Amino acid sequence: MQNNNSWQVIAEGVIESHGAKESIVIAVSKTFRIDGSKAQQLLDGKVRTIKKNIPRSQAEKYRSILIELGVKASIRQMPDVVAPVSPISSPASAPSTNSLAGLTLEPMVESLQVDDPAIAPVVTPIAIQGFITCPKCHTKQKPADECKECGVIIARYRQKVNEAQDALQDVPDDHEPPHGLSFLNSLPKIYLAIAAVIVFIGWKFFLDSGDYLPVGNNSHAVAQRGALTESFSKPHTDLQHLRSLVESERYAEAEKIVQELQDKVLIDILWEETYQDTLDGISAENKFSLASLNDWISQSGSAIAYLARGAYFVTEGINARGKRFAKDTTQEQFAKEEELHELGIKDLHKALVLDPQLFPAYTFLLMTASSATDTSKDWMDKAARIAPGGYYFRYQYLRSLMPKWGGSYAEMNEFADSLESLGDKNPRLWLLKGFALAEEAHTAMHADKFNKAISLYSEALQFGIARDWLTKRAYALEMEGEDKKALADINLVLEIYRTSNNAEQLRMKAHLEQKL
């Protein structure tokens, strides 16, 4: 006979109705105290049993939490009889590698037994009780991850309080304090307790409030923001029209569009955004075909035709490699990237032979460089002689100085500092002084060190505005319960980069507004 204590929780392996996969994985990892790889398995399309043989009321709470986190979940009543299952090729003494904090990430098997209550302390204060009281502001409210009044992440705040309390309890009363602190023995314990509370409050204040800074408002940051806004306010090329000109073999008209941008940039460097965006847009994603670009070269043979096809090859090489870490990228992807980049390099060199003034060719050449070399430095210097205030070729050279390409943060900062005298030619160059900080912030983000990332992005943003920095800081702020600040960052992106593809930012905005 079935009873009320025989229920199981099922993760369906797919996203519920909201949230990006990356943010769901991180939220699951933090809530259930499991590593990211295990959390990812909850969204791999396989049905998995999360918990078994628990009361229905508790099963429903687990399901509610999973759904709230963005994982589609259900509950089922257990059958009357469960046949035992023997381990497969596993010594009895070996610990299970598929069970962490109550989550058994295996394909669902009716007889799989799960008996790990470690998750209970995480769930109970948030979801099991009918009402909860915020541990920070003491507001009574319905169960939720964050306080509706003060916005603190409840589980994380409780954890910090517990850690502080544990630290105090770790010192036995009969141990003498460290040398120089023996006078503490003579103080009443109530004074020590008060001092501990003061220390904790101070630590909490600095931890929660000391990392975040508004975007920079110094003269250089203001100038960079103004130049960025002006750059994005200039008319951008209609890529569909440009593609139709190439496909209909109206090459002279297509070349006129690019040549006019070249001429404008040499007069006003803030046209560089439109120029670079046009060449970046000659891609398969925008439905430019290699066949039409080949015809353009065979019939026109112009420097701009070679520049266009060279840009196409470089962009497609980057897309073939993908955006994952090297350890997650196949040799086939690397080989395809190298093949396409070699074709692009040939076209770009040909373009420069035909017209040495086409400095964006150097930007694309620098995109193919995986590290800083004498050759890449020469490319950057040649571009600078043509367009002294140019931003994008310097940005690409700065990327080659990153630690992951064999450079260092010191080298990045040294290069950025060397450009200070050019800030008047193009205020956008001030932003490059924040790139080493931003790269450190990216590393912190990948390690789920969100407070550190917020601090580093905040420092980087003192040099100006960058869409990627603001978007990632908004994500880190949300993970730390700072939804209002996160929304402010996203709104700033949408204000300045209004002509860009902001699909990700618009999704984040809707998500944050719904939470607030």
Side-chain angles (χ1 to χ4, degrees), residues 198-212 451:
I198 292 172
V199 169
F200 171 72
I201 290 173
W203 164 74
K204 179 76 174 92
F205 173 80
F206 284 111
L207 180 63
D208 285 356
S209 305
D211 296 331
Y212 173 86
N451 262 325

Side-chain angles (χ1 to χ4, degrees), residues 248-509:
S248 60
E249 300 181 2
R250 294 156 64 184
Y251 303 127
E253 293 176 63
E255 290 165 10
K256 181 180 178 182
I257 290 174
V258 178
Q259 186 61 55
E260 285 180 351
L261 289 173
Q262 167 79 14
D263 296 340
K264 287 178 178 178
V265 171
L266 296 183
I267 297 171
D268 178 3
I269 195 61
L270 295 186
W271 276 98
E272 185 186 17
E273 183 68 38
T274 299
Y275 195 6
Q276 187 65 39
D277 185 64
T278 299
L279 296 171
D280 286 340
I282 300 176
S283 64
E285 181 181 2
N286 289 317
K287 300 181 180 179
F288 281 82
S289 70
L290 181 56
S292 65
L293 296 173
N294 290 339
D295 289 342
W296 187 1
I297 285 177
S298 64
Q299 295 188 44
S300 169
S302 69
I304 289 175
Y306 278 102
L307 173 63
R309 193 173 70 175
Y312 176 92
F313 280 134
V314 172
T315 299
E316 293 312 304
I318 293 170
N319 291 337
R321 185 248 189 255
K323 297 180 180 180
R324 294 181 178 274
F325 289 119
K327 65 183 179 64
D328 300 318
T329 304
T330 66
Q331 290 302 313
E332 289 77 11
Q333 287 174 292
F334 283 124
K336 189 63 177 177
E337 176 192 34
E338 184 177 357
E339 174 190 344
L340 289 167
H341 280 179
E342 286 179 358
L343 293 170
I345 289 170
K346 290 179 182 178
D347 278 352
L348 295 167
H349 280 306
K350 180 67 174 179
L352 288 167
V353 168
L354 295 170
D355 185 352
Q357 294 295 105
L358 291 180
F359 72 91
Y362 292 114
T363 301
F364 284 97
L365 285 170
L366 285 160
M367 286 171 148
T368 69
S370 59
S371 62
T373 63
D374 290 342
T375 299
S376 60
K377 178 67 163 57
D378 183 57
W379 289 338
M380 194 265 298
D381 289 340
K382 286 179 177 177
R385 285 195 286 271
I386 301 166
Y391 171 84
Y392 276 104
F393 55 83
R394 291 188 170 100
Y395 162 70
Q396 293 299 336
Y397 181 74
L398 182 62
R399 283 180 54 83
S400 71
L401 295 172
M402 289 178 177
K404 64 182 178 182
W405 304 127
S408 67
Y409 296 133
E411 290 175 281
M412 294 177 72
N413 287 326
E414 183 181 359
F415 173 68
D417 290 343
S418 72
L419 305 175
E420 282 197 19
S421 62
L422 299 172
D424 292 338
K425 293 182 181 295
N426 184 359
R428 292 189 67 181
L429 292 172
W430 290 115
L431 189 70
L432 298 181
K433 291 172 71 68
F435 265 86
L437 289 163
E439 181 62 17
E440 287 189 78
H442 296 341
T443 301
M445 283 283 286
H446 286 300
D448 290 351
K449 297 178 180 178
F450 299 114
N451 262 325
K452 182 177 181 180
I454 291 168
S455 178
L456 289 165
Y457 282 129
S458 293
E459 289 186 67
L461 287 163
Q462 299 312 296
F463 297 100
I465 299 294
R467 182 170 70 162
D468 187 50
W469 304 355
L470 282 169
T471 301
K472 285 185 166 64
R473 187 175 75 163
Y475 182 80
L477 285 165
E478 183 189 3
M479 295 304 297
E480 290 298 320
E482 298 284 0
D483 291 347
K484 289 182 180 179
K485 292 176 181 176
L487 182 59
D489 279 356
I490 293 301
N491 283 335
L492 184 55
V493 170
L494 295 173
E495 173 192 337
I496 294 178
Y497 295 87
R498 53 184 175 272
T499 61
S500 301
N501 180 359
N502 292 314
E504 177 187 1
Q505 288 76 16
L506 289 169
R507 285 194 297 270
M508 289 183 69
K509 176 181 173 69

